[in-house]
Amino acid sequence: MTNEPRPTPAFPAIRMRRNRKADWSRRLIAENSLSPNDLIWPLFLIEGKGKREAIPSMPGVERLSVDEAVRAAGEAVSLDIPVIALFPHTPMEKRDPLGSLATDPDNLVCQATRAIKKEFPGLGVLCDAALDPFTSHGHDGVMEGERILNDETVEILIRQSLLQVEAGCDIIAPSDMMDGRVGAIRAALEEAGHKDTQIMSYAAKYASAFYGPFRDAIGSSGALKGDKRTYQMDPANGDEALREVALDIAEGADMVMVKPGLPYLDVLYRVKQAFGLPTFAYQVSGEYAMLAGAIGNGWLDRDRVILESLLSFKRAGADGILTYFAPAAARLLKGL
Ligand code: PBG
């Protein structure tokens, strides 16, 4: 690209519609594309066998027992989806203020990881580091009075991460937004000899109302006291996201994530422009619920709106997208 002044294009020498005149031409000039390789499929886990349980606020998404999750993992493999993410539903009676189940090597996430990696070693498995699926108060960390304790929480996240990696997890995704957790987890992984474990940090994660259906899915909705604004980011801020990302990179993140997705495309764009490392967007549960709700009512064209929403992330700079539409999108992309 030179800096020489270019002649100002003008009509009718330029007719922008020429390149759009036919499908072959539109395909030829397309700047971005979507493929199953871009997708990460989040799954929700429940206890039991042969169980699938509907999640009312996420029409079409179900909680799966471990054996059903293994089946879903097989589906991911056959659809060329490279990674699945695992989230456990925990009933109130198994939660406590410290989120103790997070550090139980036989919890649902560890069980499912072992079962899936045994059956499908070539499929990537991503596990969150965060306590909210396990705490009785629904927060991502341990509490003292009204405060979420940072450093004490990080100590537990380290143990949770190591157990998940020992179960076979490939990517640890700290979603808790405690300060310093990426560095602490990275150091612990190195020390334990897990030198190839990737960290995808939820680096710019906002305190968002769009997580509502996810909290239904994991059983946190009734539990959560207050909000997460002392650790998740203020939706008013964009520059601050760049500081968060810079810190996580310095601490050892291999990939970063911006979350939620569509309402934060500006942040995604800036992060990719500024750092250029593998950058992911999470099309979160509330975004899924909005689209699935409108699709279910016949107000939006299902196939087109799924692919358009996902392609938007690619255009903004995402290398991949965590989305509950992953299997549907992969099927569409493969013409199935
Ligand atoms: C928990 C976590 C959340 C999501 C992923 N990991 C919710 C939260 O922070 O309250 C949200 C995902 C979604 O809404 O789809 N740390």
Side-chain angles (χ1 to χ4, degrees):
M1 197 67 90
T2 66
N3 290 324
E4 284 162 34
R6 291 188 240 170
T8 310
F11 177 86
I14 300 295
R15 289 181 185 266
M16 294 299 285
R17 291 181 54 190
R18 284 188 198 118
N19 286 342
R20 298 177 197 141
K21 69 182 176 188
D23 179 63
W24 62 262
S25 182
R26 292 190 291 271
R27 282 189 283 132
L28 183 70
I29 66 157
E31 297 172 37
N32 295 286
S33 65
L34 191 65
S35 114
N37 295 329
D38 299 321
L39 304 173
I40 299 177
W41 181 12
L43 300 178
F44 295 110
L45 304 168
I46 38 163
E47 305 259 354
K49 229 182 149 183
K51 260 177 82 178
R52 306 180 73 99
E53 203 172 78
I55 303 161
S57 53
M58 300 182 74
V61 177
E62 293 171 311
R63 301 184 191 99
L64 309 174
S65 55
V66 169
D67 55 326
E68 292 290 324
V70 173
R71 273 230 297 218
E75 200 183 334
V77 170
S78 66
L79 291 170
D80 293 329
I81 294 171
V83 187
I84 55 162
L86 299 175
F87 296 101
H89 171 272
T90 316
M92 205 46 179
E93 62 272 15
K94 295 206 160 178
R95 292 167 174 258
D96 65 25
L98 297 177
S100 304
L101 200 52
T103 50
D104 178 341
D106 280 320
N107 68 23
L108 271 179
V109 171
C110 292
Q111 276 182 44
T113 301
R114 279 193 291 269
I116 290 167
K117 288 304 285 192
K118 183 163 171 239
E119 205 73 34
F120 304 107
L123 177 69
V125 172
L126 175 152
C127 301
D128 264 31
L131 301 184
D132 59 307
F134 311 105
T135 51
S136 45
H137 43 68
H139 281 289
D140 294 43
V142 295
M143 299 184 81
E144 187 176 73
E146 302 280 279
R147 284 175 53 235
I148 314 297
L149 301 178
N150 192 89
D151 302 11
E152 291 79 352
T153 297
V154 172
E155 290 304 315
I156 304 175
L157 296 176
I158 290 172
R159 285 165 41 215
Q160 177 186 31
S161 301
L162 288 171
L163 286 175
Q164 291 176 156
V165 172
E166 281 155 22
C169 164
D170 300 287
I171 307 176
I172 292 292
S175 69
D176 54 288
M177 290 298 278
M178 298 301 117
D179 287 319
R181 89 279 205 217
V182 171
I185 293 170
R186 173 58 76 211
L189 288 171
E190 284 289 324
E191 200 186 335
H194 302 302
K195 300 186 193 306
D196 291 330
T197 301
Q198 290 153 285
I199 296 181
M200 178 189 290
S201 93
Y202 288 68
K205 174 167 177 177
Y206 287 85
S208 172
F210 285 98
Y211 307 148
F214 174 95
R215 294 178 190 163
D216 296 340
I218 65 165
S220 282
S221 304
L224 184 61
K225 295 189 177 55
D227 58 53
K228 300 192 176 183
R229 282 187 274 196
T230 67
Y231 48 107
Q232 299 179 349
M233 285 181 57
D234 184 342
N237 299 345
D239 293 345
E240 188 187 338
L242 300 183
R243 294 185 68 201
E244 284 282 6
V245 170
L247 279 167
D248 285 3
I249 295 172
E251 290 178 28
D254 303 288
M255 313 177 247
V256 293
M257 191 202 300
V258 173
K259 178 180 174 205
L262 286 186
Y264 296 83
L265 284 186
D266 58 323
V267 177
L268 173 64
Y269 179 81
R270 290 177 67 184
V271 166
K272 184 63 183 183
Q273 291 285 312
F275 302 101
L277 85 167
T279 304
F280 292 79
Y282 201 142
Q283 183 177 50
V284 299
S285 57
E287 299 173 67
Y288 175 88
M290 288 197 300
L291 294 175
I295 291 164
N297 279 300
W299 297 334
L300 290 172
D301 179 325
R302 173 185 181 272
D303 298 358
R304 291 184 56 202
V305 83
I306 290 174
L307 295 181
E308 181 181 336
S309 67
L310 296 174
L311 186 59
S312 305
F313 294 113
K314 293 293 299 288
R315 195 188 58 244
D319 295 281
I321 307 117
L322 292 95
T323 175
Y324 304 99
F325 286 120
R331 261 185 221 105
L332 290 171
L333 292 165
K334 292 171 91 66
L336 298 173

